[in-house]
Amino acid sequence: MAENNERNAKKMQDLAAGAHGQSPVIDIVFAVGGIVGLWCGLSWAFDVRGITTRRAERIRRRNEETWMAMGRLGGAQPLFATPGYLRFLGAVMAGAGLLLLVAAYALWHLG
């Protein structure tokens, strides 16, 4: 009986201290997020299959349609509609993906 009480007390202490092991879900979420961020960022940064140029063209066309609906004949293109900005954004996204992968690796090794 005393042995059972000691075992139960030990379980309660472990549970209260959070010593029940780490769930691998956090590691998996970080790793998948890092892989997706790295893949999308590199695709945008290096303009794989013309992704950024097509996207910039769609933004420019949508802005022109909006301006024509408002009665304006045209205007200066915003910075966000240029392929250079989208490539920069892709480089930032690739860096964030790499950072997530490093964090997932660190969490995996810390246990």
Side-chain angles (χ1 to χ4, degrees):
M1 184 75 166
E3 188 176 305
N4 257 351
N5 287 340
E6 287 178 21
R7 192 176 314 140
N8 286 339
K10 176 68 173 159
K11 284 182 183 177
M12 292 302 286
Q13 286 176 349
D14 288 346
L15 186 62
H20 48 77
Q22 179 187 359
S23 172
V25 174
I26 299 294
D27 296 341
I28 292 170
V29 168
F30 271 61
V32 169
I35 290 169
V36 169
L38 189 63
W39 178 73
C40 290
L42 290 176
S43 296
W44 281 27
F46 292 110
D47 200 15
V48 176
R49 295 183 301 169
I51 291 173
T52 55
T53 52
R54 283 196 318 259
R55 186 169 179 85
E57 181 61 28
R58 279 195 306 262
I59 292 170
R60 188 191 60 74
R61 216 175 317 122
R62 187 174 49 226
N63 285 343
E64 283 181 358
E65 290 172 1
T66 304
W67 292 333
M68 286 175 22
M70 292 173 24
R72 292 172 50 188
L73 294 177
Q77 288 293 326
L79 172 68
F80 307 116
T82 61
Y85 174 75
L86 294 175
R87 285 182 175 197
F88 170 74
L89 192 62
V92 170
M93 196 178 343
L98 191 61
L99 187 65
L100 278 174
L101 283 175
V102 169
Y105 181 75
L107 285 172
W108 179 58
H109 271 287
L110 289 175

